[in-house]
Amino acid sequence: MAVSVREAERLAAVLYGMSAVATSLPGEYDCNFRLRSSDGKEYVLKCMHPARKASFLEMQCSALEHLRIKAPHLPLPRVQRTRQATLFTEIADSAEQKRLVWMLSFLPGRTLEKTNPLSSEVLENLGWFLGELDAALGMFSHPAVHRELKWDSSRASWIGNQLHRIEDPSRRTLLEYFLSLYDQEVESRRSELRTGPIYGDANDHNVLVSAPWPQPRKIAGVIDFGDMHHGWIVSEPAIAAAYALLGKDNPLGVARDIARGFHRSFPLTEPEIATLFPLIAVRLAVSVVNSAARKEQKPDDPYVTVTENQAWVALERLAKIHPRFAQYALRDACGHTAVPKTEKIKIWITQRRKQGASVVEADLRTAPLHVFDLSVGSSMLGADLGNAEIHKLTRAIFERMQREHAAIGIGRYNEARMFYTSSQYGGDEAHRTERRTVHLGLDVFVVPGTAVCAPLDGAVHLLAENTAELDYGPLVILRHETDDGDEFFTLYGHLTPETLRELKPGQTIARGEVFARVGTLHENGGWPPHLHFQVILDLLDRGAEFPGVARASERSIWTSLSPDPNLLLGIPEKKIGPVESTVEETMPRRRELLGGNLSVSYRKPLKIVRGWRQHLYDETGQAYLDVYNNVPLVGHSHPHVVRAAQEQLALLNTNTRYLHENILRYAERLKELLPDPLRVVYIVNSGSEANELALRLSRAITRCEDTIVLEDAYHGHTNTLVDISPYKFAGPGGVGKKPWVHVAPLADDYRGIYRRGEPDLGVRYAAHVEEICRELQSRGKRPTFIAETLPSVAGQIVFPPHYLGKVYQHVRAARGVCIADEVQVGFGRLGTHFWGFETQGVVPDIVVFGKPIGNAFPLAAVVTTRKIANAFDNGMEFFSTFGGNPVACAVGLAVLDVLQEESLQGNALHIGGLLIDQFKALQQRHPVIGDVRGSGLFLGLDLVESHHTRRAAADQASYVVNRLREEGILAGTDGPHHNVIKLRPPLIFSEADAEQFCAALNRILHEDPAQSAA
Ligand SMILES: Cc1ncc(COP(=O)(O)O)c(C=O)c1O
């Protein structure tokens, strides 16, 4: 190297009076060094390539000085002055070559290239940052900015006569395609593109991102102003996007994020947005041509090909995106209507409605019709997707129409639906997990053979038969023109094959003319007979492949491409009714109507409208694997449980003052599952009500309030239960411990006072309870001991062996009562045993059940001994209005049936075992996993900052569950430090579910914010 590290240190001393240690930095041309001065500050010393001119350096220095003054809020390198107060100076290197030397402050941060994940927030912030930067550079001037630079997007056509350098003909064709797009879309707008000094080099090595925490990460600066030039403003976000999208599955999503951010600080004009996509592509094209040229000169230089391969892949991906769709998507990101002509055409169409534009012979404005709710959350079909099977769906639709005396049924526009189940509606490369669900047309359900007429004058544009499962079947597209000559189309799907035979492309069709007929379910693509009617403003060269269903994340783009057909048809809005409101619309209503401390899960709240087996579905139809909701024990909406509730509710639901078999049957079934002397059953409605009752039962015999609880325990939300729940009374808003409450240390062998590997853990932890019992006994008190048999809220804790056995001995020695709170862990979840207390070899005096007992139906129970029940039976009536009602008991019985019939305890054991093995393997790879614990499908991953200190990694845990949610998996955190990822899925959880969860977890644990600090 022409400048050594030693020399750099000497230069720092001589030129800057700085004593510093230098390390070499990678660079293509110049010799750059990182300096750490004796006062701990860091700098970059740049010894420029001998060919660099002073004017080039002067431009960069004055631009950075300009930005220091005009945009002090932007973190940027600051130029350090020499001892002579100059911004740079000249030296002779070891080869006697003259080099210009300057020094900058060092900017901490991770390069964009090394940032994982490159989230939407970071990308948007990058756009914003560059917009601010260019806005501040607006008034900057320097002669060297007006330079001829091969990277200047306004000069990109130079690559046109360099394409011979690309050997592969298909790659050459790819570049020719993007160059012609550039000619078409960019050259024609030259005069409309604003110019100014731009930074021009936001590549993934030059952009720095802040540390993973705090979230969200921000741009921590950009370095290297060597490509600054006077160019098109819109080149700035285009260049940034071209680099940021390398290696990304969804390049358009990346470009949208950057454009959105840039537009926020430096609003782009519509012509500028129209050039953005071609400019992104052409930047990559320039990059690959440049690499090819450099490779010819320096065949062995790896620096040249750094981004080349990724750039080719990106170009191939971009070529698959229709450029007009890209333009619409980018307009949408910048807050414009996606398709420029949408509003104008909507007005024109709406005016046509007055003339009576219908697609069937009846006038839909006045005809008797039934509007269906086919949304994800519609109760019409239930949660079982099997009900959308063609014959069932057809029957459901036409029976309903018959009942409503309507010959016409309407399926709504812009409605997210669940029944697009075939593979063509699944995820694609850019949207791995997101299915297409949003209906872009309007359905007209009518009997097969019904005549279809043209709502407007038009001409046959296209006839096709799409035979794929759940496709359009036979379809016709008509072409129309507004009075201003704007073209648009209407699509008619699910027709008869004869329709296609009777029409010819180009044939004109007059308004009101019958031109098609509705097909049967055997010929129409496999749907209940109906017409799918859709308006399309731009076919995007897709012809018959134009989608009738879109992804919710692209809803605003597609609904702009396909506006509401009812603008034309005029079915009264009050008949159509509103579509499901979005999260953004729902949140303020919730805040307004409900108590503020009713918390909402996840940074991006979820609106859940359907649950089926181990999945929950949001209002857009996206599925979430439910990994932590232990209430739907046998799966969401289990048909056997649902039927039991529905049938009983349709017959009778009343209180326990009348005799009824259900409560007795249920009490008998529970008793069969419990050991002696647990013989007397009470049925209530919630875990809290059950724990309240358990305390009353205990106090009836002890005649004493004193209660022993464990650290961090939670037993319910009523006054008394908050008093005995350290998680609440010692937490935010809590009023502290009552004198009659006695807290024993949590027998947590990972983070507690005695730890795994030490002897007699159970005995030693139990000794603390013994001490409390002794003290109470000495005051003539009889204690109640209440604990979860495996504490869940305290962090998915598994007690050490013999713990509860010893505790119960001590409590009983003090003539106390032992309550087992099985609200979370009971009913087979643990795999090895049906009840948690069995894992410890004890039998409680009172046992409390809740949550999963009714598979989400309000039901809870308390079971105790005859002796305690007799003491409680003291003359005061026990009555809970809804407790033990016939519906609840029918549900409880159904849950027990399913548990048995589907062998779910065994499944919990099997899948839990697989999960534990996989978690232990992940623990080897990811030091953030401190502990893996649990049993069956009651599992916890304890995340730590370091294995040594076991300091809780709460930020990382919160990050992981929020990222899992983005990946379509619902998990939560628990424990006093909120660092334990809890897993308590429905017991029907499968091997595939376990695989899905572990793969996503592994991916996320590789991301920067999930790393432990150590
Ligand atoms: C261990 C335990 N006991 C009792 C309860 C109270 O149950 P519920 O919310 O049904 O009143 C809960 C609720 O989270 C719990 O976790």
Side-chain angles (χ1 to χ4, degrees), residues 269-286:
T269 63
E270 293 190 41
E272 283 169 342
I273 298 170
T275 64
L276 198 42
F277 182 72
L279 285 176
I280 293 169
V282 93
R283 170 64 178 213
L284 292 169
V286 170

Side-chain angles (χ1 to χ4, degrees), residues 406 593 632 638 765 916:
L593 292 166
H638 194 290
Y765 272 115
I916 291 210

Side-chain angles (χ1 to χ4, degrees), residues 257-333:
D257 289 334
I258 291 178
R260 187 183 299 114
F262 193 90
H263 188 74
R264 203 151 48 80
S265 50
F266 200 140
L268 293 165
T269 63
E270 293 190 41
E272 283 169 342
I273 298 170
T275 64
L276 198 42
F277 182 72
L279 285 176
I280 293 169
V282 93
R283 170 64 178 213
L284 292 169
V286 170
S287 169
V288 291
V289 170
N290 186 57
S291 295
R294 299 274 316 269
K295 255 198 312 202
E296 284 170 17
Q297 288 160 10
K298 292 189 183 178
D300 303 324
D301 186 353
Y303 206 93
V304 175
T305 49
V306 177
T307 52
E308 193 195 358
N309 291 339
Q310 280 190 321
W312 280 116
V313 174
L315 281 165
E316 278 152 19
R317 283 200 179 133
L318 292 181
K320 288 188 204 148
I321 302 170
H322 194 289
R324 284 203 302 282
F325 182 78
Q327 185 197 338
Y328 302 150
L330 290 163
R331 285 175 56 89
D332 177 72

Side-chain angles (χ1 to χ4, degrees), residues 932-955:
V932 174
R933 55 178 177 253
S935 173
L937 288 174
F938 176 82
L939 300 168
L941 293 166
D942 194 318
L943 302 196
V944 293
E945 291 282 5
S946 105
H947 278 246
H948 178 62
T949 62
R950 299 188 184 179
R951 230 185 74 197
D955 285 342

Side-chain angles (χ1 to χ4, degrees), residues 232-245:
W232 288 329
I233 301 293
V234 65
S235 296
E236 190 78 276
I239 293 166
Y243 288 100
L245 60 75

Side-chain angles (χ1 to χ4, degrees), residues 636-648:
H636 292 279
S637 314
H638 194 290
H640 186 59
V641 179
V642 169
R643 207 175 315 116
Q646 283 173 338
E647 286 176 359
Q648 184 57 50

